[in-house]
Amino acid sequence: MRHLMSPLDFSVQELDKLMDIAEDIEKNQEKYAHMCDGKILATCFYEPSTRTRLSFESAMLHLGGQVLGFASADSSSAAKGESVSDTIRIISCYADICAMRHPKEGAPMVAASKSTIPVINAGDGGHQHPTQTLTDLMTIRSLKGQLNNMTIGLCGDLKFGRTVHSLINALKRYNGINFVFISPEELKIPDYIRSDILDKNNIPYKEVIKLEDVMPELDILYMTRVQRERFFNEEDYVRLKDFYILTKDKMELAKKDMMVLHPLPRVNEISVEVDEDPRAVYFKQVQYGMYIRMALILTLLELV
Ligand code: NCD
């Protein structure tokens, strides 16, 4: 039995296969409509979510399966003090697969160690968010045709943003990847990413503060929200929240085929006028997120 805790749990070949399945699902949805008949997905979300939880649920429903779960810690027995280890033992009796989001780093891993069904990490604190990364990889591969030889700018909250940490971790295995980290001083990538992932693998990167300075060199711009819920004080959040706002004017500095991704939700960091630009692909990214989660459920349930 396999779980998904980090994008590295799959080899590059396995990721390719997963994306191939997701592409096939996009083209032939009806072929997959009953593959999970009789199967149940549990979504255990101890932290707010719209996209991730609903896209897991929609993925399972599109496969013919059913869903149950809870959308906040308050509405589960966690509010009575039940541990994640106990909860997953219970869920294992009710469902065939579980997607779990938790504010504590490593909580889904603890659950996986006690679980008799596959557990998917749907985001753990500021740590990892592997299914968002699968979504991002699939978006880039589908729209750019490949995952090699690219300059990728990551902009915003690189300190607390788990989508950023997971994506860097996944992209380190591709060739010719060049990172540009765009953030205020206070929200730079954590040291462990710099030393354990980038330096260790000789991956070229630079860190800058101004987005305009690097816009012309980027093939991908990955915008992120400042992670308010992980700040220690509101003052810092308020000072930093509007540090970057991507506007039409800034888009004019970019390559004609640059693509803007965002894991969403967006707050102010991308002005709505940019939505009309064909290079803004964040809503398309959401669609890919459902297909790749369908492929993931089928793979972990060993149905493909
Ligand atoms: C992200 C997350 O939860 O980390 N959202 C998502 O799942 N698409 C990004 C965010 O909340 O900023």
Side-chain angles (χ1 to χ4, degrees):
M1 187 184 54
R2 283 184 89 167
H3 307 287
L4 177 70
M5 292 298 124
S6 141
L8 301 183
D9 292 348
F10 284 114
S11 67
V12 168
Q13 289 73 21
E14 286 174 322
L15 285 181
D16 268 332
K17 179 147 184 250
L18 203 65
M19 289 187 259
D20 290 343
I21 297 169
E23 262 177 24
D24 193 53
I25 292 173
E26 182 183 10
K27 292 193 204 105
N28 306 296
Q29 275 205 45
E30 61 301 338
K31 188 171 124 193
Y32 294 86
H34 294 288
M35 283 205 176
C36 280
D37 279 358
K39 300 282 183 199
I40 297 176
L41 164 79
T43 50
C44 300
F45 276 58
Y46 295 86
E47 218 188 31
S49 163
T50 307
R51 241 151 322 270
T52 306
R53 186 170 58 82
L54 295 185
S55 82
F56 265 115
E57 296 189 355
S58 178
M60 192 48 151
L61 296 172
H62 275 92
L63 292 167
Q66 288 173 291
V67 297
L68 50 80
F70 52 86
S72 76
D74 304 344
S75 60
S76 78
S77 282
K80 298 182 189 166
E82 185 171 61
S83 68
V84 163
S85 311
D86 281 3
T87 303
I88 194 68
R89 286 188 179 158
I90 312 306
I91 302 286
S92 295
C93 303
Y94 302 151
D96 301 285
I97 185 164
C98 170
M100 178 179 287
R101 167 169 291 192
H102 204 286
K104 277 210 191 108
E105 311 196 344
M109 181 94 90
V110 172
S113 72
K114 300 284 183 218
S115 178
T116 57
I117 58 172
V119 177
I120 301 166
N121 176 4
D124 61 329
H127 189 215
Q128 296 269 344
H129 192 344
T131 61
Q132 181 62 47
T133 297
L134 299 182
T135 303
D136 303 338
L137 295 180
M138 169 144 188
T139 306
I140 299 171
R141 196 186 83 157
S142 300
L143 300 177
K144 284 268 184 204
Q146 57 155 341
L147 284 159
N148 297 306
N149 305 319
M150 251 174 264
T151 297
I152 306 200
L154 295 116
C155 177
D157 188 345
L158 311 186
K159 179 178 180 185
F160 296 116
R162 58 190 170 199
T163 60
V164 168
H165 306 156
S166 268
L167 186 58
I168 298 171
N169 216 354
L171 283 170
K172 73 169 187 230
R173 300 186 294 186
Y174 295 88
N175 298 320
I177 295 290
N178 205 340
F179 287 111
V180 181
F181 299 121
I182 309 140
S183 75
E185 197 59 41
E186 296 91 329
L187 298 178
K188 282 166 90 169
I189 50 163
D191 285 339
Y192 82 88
I193 298 232
R194 207 171 288 115
S195 57
D196 300 356
I197 301 178
L198 299 163
D199 294 344
K200 207 174 187 173
N201 295 288
N202 287 319
I203 299 172
Y205 69 92
K206 65 177 174 186
E207 300 184 84
V208 301
I209 295 180
K210 256 186 114 182
L211 177 58
E212 292 89 317
D213 293 349
V214 291
M215 212 55 186
E217 42 189 284
L218 305 179
D219 298 304
I220 305 279
L221 172 59
Y222 194 89
M223 293 297 293
T224 62
R225 168 181 76 89
V226 176
Q227 306 280 297
R228 179 181 202 161
E229 64 276 36
R230 310 212 194 282
F231 273 67
F232 294 109
N233 70 66
E234 184 72 7
E235 254 165 67
D236 284 347
Y237 169 72
V238 170
R239 187 167 49 81
L240 295 168
K241 73 182 173 59
D242 293 328
F243 203 91
Y244 298 105
I245 300 181
L246 183 63
T247 55
K248 246 181 168 171
D249 289 351
K250 287 185 195 136
M251 287 297 283
E252 271 170 28
L253 305 170
K255 288 183 185 171
K256 295 275 164 283
D257 63 347
M258 190 215 44
M259 283 181 352
V260 186
L261 277 74
H262 191 310
L264 304 178
R266 140 178 74 182
V267 187
N268 281 330
E269 58 280 357
I270 303 179
S271 157
V272 288
E273 67 191 18
V274 175
D275 297 356
E276 305 309 318
D277 191 308
R279 294 169 293 180
V281 300
Y282 29 90
F283 292 118
K284 185 125 191 46
Q285 198 178 344
V286 174
Q287 190 71 54
Y288 286 126
M290 189 187 79
Y291 298 136
I292 200 81
R293 288 183 176 95
M294 289 170 77
L296 178 66
I297 291 170
L298 291 172
T299 302
L300 293 180
L301 288 176
E302 298 177 3
L303 297 171
V304 280

